[in-house]
Amino acid sequence: MPAIGKRIWAIAEGYIPSASHGPAPELTSHEAACLLNCAEAPAQVELTVYFTDRDPAGPYRVEVPARRTLHLRMNDLSDPEPIPRDTPYACVIRADRPIVVQHTRLDSRQAENALMTTIAYAEG
Amino acid sequence: MPAIGKRIWAIAEGYIPSASHGPAPELTSHEAACLLNCAEAPAQVELTVYFTDRDPAGPYRVEVPARRTLHLRMNDLSDPEPIPRDTPYACVIRADRPIVVQHTRLDSRQAENALMTTIAYAEG
Amino acid sequence: MPAIGKRIWAIAEGYIPSASHGPAPELTSHEAACLLNCAEAPAQVELTVYFTDRDPAGPYRVEVPARRTLHLRMNDLSDPEPIPRDTPYACVIRADRPIVVQHTRLDSRQAENALMTTIAYAEG
Amino acid sequence: MPAIGKRIWAIAEGYIPSASHGPAPELTSHEAACLLNCAEAPAQVELTVYFTDRDPAGPYRVEVPARRTLHLRMNDLSDPEPIPRDTPYACVIRADRPIVVQHTRLDSRQAENALMTTIAYAEG
């Protein structure tokens, strides 16, 4: 199956709540960048994280193996630095081959969880 | 009315919670790939499901009749194999004529349901 | 300001829950097709509604005045026929000039409301 | 890093609930237009707000500095006039260089919050 997608993606709305209700990890408040690589070779992916009032962080580097999906929890990024909680951010994702990116947040700050998702903005 | 849409679609964020609250089937936690075929002839559709750490599953085959919509519950797929619960996945949908695909999840793991939707990524 | 948008739009996921909690009309379970006409002249809009197992309904006709938005509640459509509740449907929206369409559902079947939205699929 | 995005964006579904539950400001019902400027120079952004039955409001002017994101709460706009609560609106966003726009609503009218998001409609 040929590759599907684009090489440059952007998520403008990022925010990881620091509080949660419900069992961890599945109901921990989190954001995920869901990456799909349909190609027959692995995709090398770099993320750059933008903030309101400081220089961008990154690049964060992950690999998505051939014919695999990686639901990357933004909460788990630590190298070069963790993403601060309760802080507006945005993210640009660049891959060395076409991938598909979808952005999701699960917010369990209140007793019941809320969900949101969107296909990210694609370019290239 | 002429066909509307594209022949290749992708959903990068898939996850079927195993737990639910509320009356079945309408408030059972589920994901749906909503397919719209505006054409005057049926559309033959194939789905391939991608995972984090195993080879893809499928193809799953469904038909969307002419001038009909099919809200396909991913929970109901069984041939060649069911989609495991509580497991990140992604999905590529290929049709032999243009269709439109929208992805929705209803999550009722906690007492009140949460919803998310997005038009899938289109190509071709 | 020049017109912005496209002339053909599709929403593949439609479903109006029959049950609601909370004060009407703002917390009544509903779906809306939000239409934006930035042009200096009114837009004539036709909606066709697709089902799983019967022929399409419509056309439904609405006008969006110049430089106005119309948040059309699908619940309120009655001519030529209402959209049945608790029934999967899809929708194609055609306008005689470019408009922008966003689809939203508020689901208040359980005690707390759930929300979902997406920019519709655009063509033309 | 080169600029990413488009110069014209539209959000067709806007609505700021007047009621909220939970601690302010993070759980106040609100809508945000999340703007990402990846370029090496600041972006000058103008918003025009459309209504159902009156002339548009604006332009509202904001700057997004180079390599920054601005999560603009629509609730906070006041010049030339605030956006009325409990009122359907829509929004066109124009920038003097490419940006990315994502639209989010947090609705906390009921005891638990609901979330929705979508990448806005892009043109140009």
Side-chain angles (χ1 to χ4, degrees):
Chain A
M1 185 178 286
I4 296 175
K6 300 281 186 181
R7 287 183 175 79
I8 301 177
W9 293 82
I11 297 163
E13 156 70 296
Y15 187 89
I16 305 174
S18 62
S20 300
H21 285 80
E26 67 272 24
L27 288 173
T28 301
S29 289
H30 67 271
E31 288 203 315
C34 299
L35 315 175
L36 170 60
N37 175 19
C38 299
E40 299 293 329
Q44 307 303 326
V45 180
E46 279 194 5
L47 296 90
T48 304
V49 176
Y50 293 82
F51 299 99
T52 303
D53 50 11
R54 50 155 284 196
D55 279 348
Y60 300 87
R61 294 196 170 87
V62 296
E63 182 183 286
V64 188
R67 306 167 73 216
R68 295 290 185 273
T69 186
L70 173 63
H71 290 198
L72 179 67
R73 281 204 182 200
M74 304 301 284
N75 304 39
D76 294 342
L77 293 175
S78 61
D79 180 14
E81 59 182 296
I83 297 181
R85 301 317 193 247
D86 301 329
T87 302
Y89 72 94
C91 186
V92 169
I93 298 168
R94 293 171 179 273
D96 64 349
R97 63 182 67 251
I99 62 172
V100 178
V101 178
Q102 187 170 345
H103 168 236
T104 298
R105 182 189 303 159
L106 185 149
D107 179 346
S108 63
R109 284 177 291 179
Q110 296 188 315
E112 314 303 331
N113 61 312
L115 281 177
M116 64 182 210
T117 199
T118 186
I119 294 288
Y121 172 77
E123 194 166 283
Chain B
M1 188 178 284
I4 296 174
K6 301 280 188 183
R7 288 184 173 78
I8 302 177
W9 292 84
I11 297 163
E13 156 70 297
Y15 186 88
I16 305 174
S18 62
S20 297
H21 284 81
E26 67 271 25
L27 288 173
T28 301
S29 288
H30 67 271
E31 288 203 317
C34 299
L35 315 174
L36 170 60
N37 175 18
C38 299
E40 299 292 329
Q44 306 303 326
V45 180
E46 279 194 5
L47 297 91
T48 304
V49 176
Y50 293 83
F51 299 99
T52 304
D53 51 11
R54 50 155 286 197
D55 280 348
Y60 300 88
R61 294 195 170 87
V62 295
E63 182 182 287
V64 188
R67 306 167 72 217
R68 294 290 184 273
T69 186
L70 175 61
H71 290 198
L72 181 66
R73 280 204 182 201
M74 304 301 285
N75 304 40
D76 295 341
L77 293 175
S78 62
D79 179 14
E81 60 184 294
I83 297 181
R85 299 316 192 248
D86 299 330
T87 303
Y89 71 93
C91 185
V92 170
I93 298 166
R94 292 171 179 274
D96 65 349
R97 64 182 65 251
I99 62 171
V100 177
V101 178
Q102 187 170 344
H103 168 235
T104 298
R105 182 188 303 158
L106 184 150
D107 179 344
S108 63
R109 286 178 290 180
Q110 295 189 314
E112 314 304 331
N113 61 313
L115 280 177
M116 65 183 209
T117 198
T118 186
I119 293 288
Y121 172 78
E123 196 167 282
Chain C
M1 187 179 284
I4 295 174
K6 300 280 187 183
R7 288 184 172 77
I8 302 177
W9 293 83
I11 297 163
E13 156 70 296
Y15 186 88
I16 305 173
S18 62
S20 299
H21 284 79
E26 67 271 26
L27 288 173
T28 301
S29 289
H30 67 271
E31 287 203 316
C34 299
L35 314 175
L36 170 60
N37 175 19
C38 299
E40 299 293 328
Q44 306 303 326
V45 180
E46 279 194 5
L47 297 90
T48 303
V49 176
Y50 293 82
F51 299 99
T52 304
D53 51 12
R54 51 155 283 196
D55 279 349
Y60 300 86
R61 294 195 170 87
V62 295
E63 181 182 288
V64 188
R67 306 168 72 218
R68 295 291 184 271
T69 186
L70 174 62
H71 290 198
L72 180 67
R73 282 205 180 199
M74 304 301 284
N75 304 40
D76 293 342
L77 293 174
S78 62
D79 178 14
E81 59 183 296
I83 298 182
R85 301 315 193 249
D86 299 330
T87 302
Y89 72 93
C91 185
V92 170
I93 297 167
R94 293 170 179 274
D96 65 349
R97 64 183 67 251
I99 62 172
V100 177
V101 178
Q102 187 169 344
H103 168 235
T104 298
R105 183 189 301 159
L106 184 150
D107 179 345
S108 64
R109 286 177 289 179
Q110 296 188 314
E112 313 304 332
N113 60 313
L115 280 177
M116 65 184 209
T117 198
T118 187
I119 293 288
Y121 172 78
E123 195 168 281
Chain D
M1 185 178 286
I4 296 174
K6 301 280 187 184
R7 288 184 174 77
I8 302 176
W9 293 83
I11 298 163
E13 156 70 296
Y15 186 89
I16 305 174
S18 61
S20 299
H21 285 80
E26 67 272 25
L27 288 173
T28 301
S29 290
H30 66 271
E31 288 203 314
C34 299
L35 314 175
L36 170 60
N37 175 19
C38 299
E40 299 293 329
Q44 307 303 326
V45 181
E46 279 195 4
L47 297 91
T48 305
V49 176
Y50 292 83
F51 299 99
T52 304
D53 50 12
R54 49 155 283 194
D55 279 348
Y60 300 87
R61 294 195 170 87
V62 295
E63 181 182 287
V64 188
R67 305 167 73 217
R68 295 291 185 272
T69 186
L70 173 63
H71 290 200
L72 180 66
R73 282 205 179 197
M74 304 301 284
N75 305 40
D76 294 341
L77 293 175
S78 61
D79 178 13
E81 60 183 295
I83 297 182
R85 301 315 193 248
D86 300 329
T87 303
Y89 72 94
C91 185
V92 170
I93 297 166
R94 294 170 179 274
D96 64 349
R97 61 183 67 252
I99 62 172
V100 178
V101 178
Q102 187 169 344
H103 168 235
T104 299
R105 182 188 304 159
L106 185 149
D107 179 346
S108 64
R109 286 178 289 180
Q110 295 188 315
E112 314 304 332
N113 61 312
L115 280 177
M116 65 183 210
T117 198
T118 186
I119 293 288
Y121 172 79
E123 195 168 282

